[in-house]
Amino acid sequence: MKQGLLALLLITTGSFAAGQIDLQANEQPISVQRDEAAIAKIPASYRFVEPGTLTVAISALNSPPLALLASDNRTRIGSDPDIARLLAQSLGLKLNLVPTAWEDWPLGITSGRYDVALVNIAVTEARKQKFDFATYRADSLAFSVKSSSAIPAIRSAQDLAGRKVIVGSGTNQERILLRWNEENRVAGRPPAQPIYLTDDASGNLYIQSGRADVVFGPQSVAAYKAALNGTTKVVGLGPKKAWVATTTKKGNGLVYALQAALDGAIARGEYQQVLARWGEQGEGVERSLVNPPGITYDE
């Protein structure tokens, strides 16, 4: 699996380095065909948050290529907003994108504030108890450091012992970091110090000023920054691989319409266009899966 993840990192970084991301061009939505087969799978009993509209929670953070602001400093673009537009147009619906903090999407879905959450959410066995998932991307995590950092590589808990690590609260990467901290304690090594930040600008400042040693987050974001800014570098990949998926309330049936919409877009090539223009070709899926095996942390 580690060799596969390394190959994924090289493919994605290569796309960024080749200058294939044109942010101005990517502000123009991809044309998506209405999919009658997917529309037919919308449960008759389902009630959208707003009739005729797909209300989608997306990241409020500036985390390219997943989500960022367009040149008008108002419109949300990125691979997740593009997937949201793909879903809405396939299902013959208008789209309402709602910028959302990571901590807020679970309650927003269970309370009916959003129809779907697209916040780079990975499938886990614990989350499957409350939510339904339709996969649309492979999920890998990466360790990034300042480009001048002396840290050569991060492959295990020992490599993070005593380091200050930026990590998102409630994320898979936090769970991995805390598990590695326990390994370090048992081995008599100092644990890593988690640093919880809620915006990208603060993360950049902490890394460049030396207030943090490592960022542990989505691989696509890490590769994007390393290639386009040159101020950071990727020095390792996380030990877990999962699936990023559309997230809906458990049992409401909307997941099957989303799966059909994704499969239709894959067959027509629209899905591939989305990933290609954001440099995520190496993270694509051949078909969408509903509630596949998810990450566990007892291994």
Side-chain angles (χ1 to χ4, degrees):
M1 178 178 288
K2 185 62 71 176
Q3 289 181 343
L5 290 179
L6 180 57
L8 171 63
L9 176 62
L10 292 174
I11 290 171
T12 307
T13 304
S15 297
F16 293 139
Q20 295 179 6
I21 295 182
D22 184 335
L23 292 181
Q24 184 174 3
N26 286 4
E27 292 185 6
Q28 300 301 314
I30 289 173
S31 178
V32 177
Q33 181 179 319
R34 179 184 171 99
D35 190 331
E36 297 298 337
I39 293 171
K41 289 184 177 292
I42 300 174
S45 60
Y46 185 76
R47 296 292 178 264
F48 289 96
V49 174
E50 181 180 343
T53 299
L54 190 67
T55 301
V56 181
I58 59 166
S59 177
L61 296 178
N62 188 53
S63 303
L66 301 177
L68 65 155
L69 286 173
S71 57
D72 64 6
N73 217 29
R74 182 178 67 254
T75 305
R76 303 297 297 186
I77 62 173
S79 60
D80 277 350
D82 270 1
I83 292 292
R85 294 185 183 96
L86 181 154
L87 293 170
Q89 292 178 29
S90 293
L91 296 174
L93 300 168
K94 297 178 182 177
L95 176 64
N96 179 26
L97 293 176
V98 184
T100 305
W102 170 263
E103 296 83 1
D104 294 340
W105 72 259
L107 180 59
I109 288 292
T110 56
S111 67
R113 196 159 65 240
Y114 319 123
D115 296 305
V116 186
L118 293 179
V119 195
N120 199 52
I121 301 167
V123 180
T124 71
E125 287 301 309
R127 288 174 185 160
K128 282 165 59 179
Q129 302 305 308
K130 294 183 178 180
F131 307 102
D132 283 326
F133 298 96
T135 60
Y136 66 92
R137 225 180 65 243
D139 178 52
S140 297
L141 300 170
F143 298 100
S144 297
V145 298
K146 187 176 180 179
S147 56
S148 59
S149 172
I151 299 174
I154 296 174
R155 300 187 180 92
S156 65
Q158 183 174 355
D159 298 322
L160 286 183
R163 304 287 190 187
K164 294 171 287 185
V165 182
I166 297 173
V167 68
S169 176
T171 60
N172 291 326
Q173 48 267 38
E174 180 195 30
R175 293 288 298 273
I176 292 168
L177 179 63
L178 295 180
R179 183 176 179 85
W180 278 12
N181 274 351
E182 186 58 32
E183 288 184 29
N184 280 328
R185 290 190 184 95
V186 170
R189 298 186 294 261
Q193 176 189 339
I195 297 177
Y196 298 103
L197 300 175
T198 58
D199 66 279
D200 189 64
S202 295
N204 292 335
L205 178 62
Y206 269 62
I207 283 292
Q208 297 305 319
S209 66
R211 282 186 274 177
D213 303 306
V214 180
V215 178
F216 188 22
Q219 180 269 336
S220 57
V221 175
Y224 183 101
K225 289 183 178 180
L228 296 187
N229 295 334
T231 57
T232 58
K233 60 183 178 181
V234 176
V235 293
L237 295 171
K240 300 279 187 178
K241 182 179 179 180
W243 303 109
V244 174
T246 69
T247 306
T248 51
K249 188 174 181 179
K250 189 75 176 178
N252 68 16
L254 185 60
V255 66
Y256 297 105
L258 300 177
Q259 178 195 35
L262 287 164
D263 283 343
I266 290 170
R268 296 188 300 271
E270 299 154 351
Y271 165 85
Q272 291 87 337
Q273 290 180 54
V274 169
L275 296 195
R277 75 179 193 159
W278 294 107
E280 295 177 337
Q281 304 94 310
E283 300 186 354
V285 299
E286 294 183 356
R287 62 188 178 94
S288 179
L289 302 175
V290 169
N291 296 331
I295 292 178
T296 60
Y297 295 91
D298 55 359
E299 305 170 353

